[in-house]
Amino acid sequence: MLLYRPLFAAHGRNFRFDPAGDYSYGTIYVGHDVHLGLRPFLNATRSTIRIGNKVIFGPEVTIRGGNHRTDLVGRFMFDVTEAEKLPENDRDVVIEDDVWIGTRAIILHGVTIGRGAIVGAGAVVAKNVPPYAIVGGVPAKVFKYRWDVETILRHEATLYPQQQRLSRNVLEQWQQPINSHGKTAAS
């Protein structure tokens, strides 16, 4: 780890990772107290991967900051070069603080995983994950939240300074009742 750690774009203290993993080092920014698990695959060639503080990964998590261009008629996808990619083909991935990502989860380009969220093992995350949500499945859906809004507010008050806490309005906007099909009232 000591030999490879400087290759990351930035990293905080107590950052642990498996050197046998596959990383696009120069595009990955990592916070404090992060463990990337065994054999992760983190790749973003024209975008970035930003991982907050106090984040843990299970084994073999995949994060893709890019995608292939597939809209060119009369061209094999294999023959499309990096220079021909569109801006929307490569988008940043953000994993906020206090997130746990389960074994073999896949996180696709353009996704933000909110603070305190849990991503279940084997999930394919193609959309943003709300703060404190528990998601799983293919594609990943919100099953429930770790706590109700009042409990999250107490949790935030214990851990974060006032200016860094999520507001009641933000939490209430995200947390809507989930029906038996994993959908909120707004979806």
Side-chain angles (χ1 to χ4, degrees):
M1 276 195 303
L2 294 175
L3 292 173
Y4 294 104
R5 191 175 283 139
L7 299 176
F8 286 89
H11 65 82
R13 67 184 174 280
N14 195 25
F15 167 44
R16 296 179 301 155
F17 64 97
D18 182 357
D22 193 332
Y23 311 95
S24 60
Y25 294 99
T27 60
I28 303 170
Y29 298 79
V30 182
H32 302 297
D33 302 316
V34 172
H35 182 245
L36 297 182
L38 296 175
R39 296 178 306 282
F41 179 88
L42 281 66
N43 185 275
T45 56
R46 294 172 39 145
S47 59
T48 62
I49 297 170
R50 297 185 180 277
I51 301 170
N53 301 315
K54 307 280 187 185
V55 174
I56 48 178
F57 285 19
E60 299 178 350
V61 169
T62 294
I63 300 177
R64 296 295 314 217
N67 202 351
H68 297 285
R69 187 163 181 191
T70 60
D71 64 328
L72 298 175
V73 176
R75 299 274 305 279
F76 293 110
M77 290 180 285
F78 181 88
D79 294 333
V80 177
T81 66
E82 283 286 317
E84 294 175 290
K85 280 187 161 188
L86 301 171
E88 59 268 22
N89 297 139
D90 294 280
R91 296 179 292 149
D92 296 345
V93 173
V94 177
I95 299 171
E96 296 181 349
D97 297 343
D98 189 30
V99 170
W100 173 21
I101 301 176
T103 299
R104 293 190 176 159
I106 299 170
I107 301 164
L108 300 177
H109 71 122
V111 167
T112 294
I113 298 180
R115 178 190 297 176
I118 297 171
V119 176
V124 176
V125 184
K127 294 182 180 179
N128 292 344
V129 175
Y132 297 97
I134 299 173
V135 302
V138 180
K141 293 183 180 0
V142 175
F143 290 119
K144 65 180 189 173
Y145 290 87
R146 289 175 61 190
W147 303 296
D148 61 26
V149 171
E150 292 302 323
T151 305
I152 292 172
L153 290 171
R154 285 196 323 271
H155 178 75
E156 292 260 320
T158 303
L159 297 177
Y160 297 98
Q162 179 69 38
Q163 67 275 15
Q164 292 179 7
R165 295 179 199 158
L166 295 174
S167 71
R168 175 182 298 280
N169 289 341
V170 166
L171 292 170
E172 287 175 348
Q173 173 188 343
W174 281 107
Q175 278 202 19
Q176 299 176 21
I178 300 168
N179 67 25
S180 63
H181 302 291
K183 295 185 178 186
T184 64
S187 57

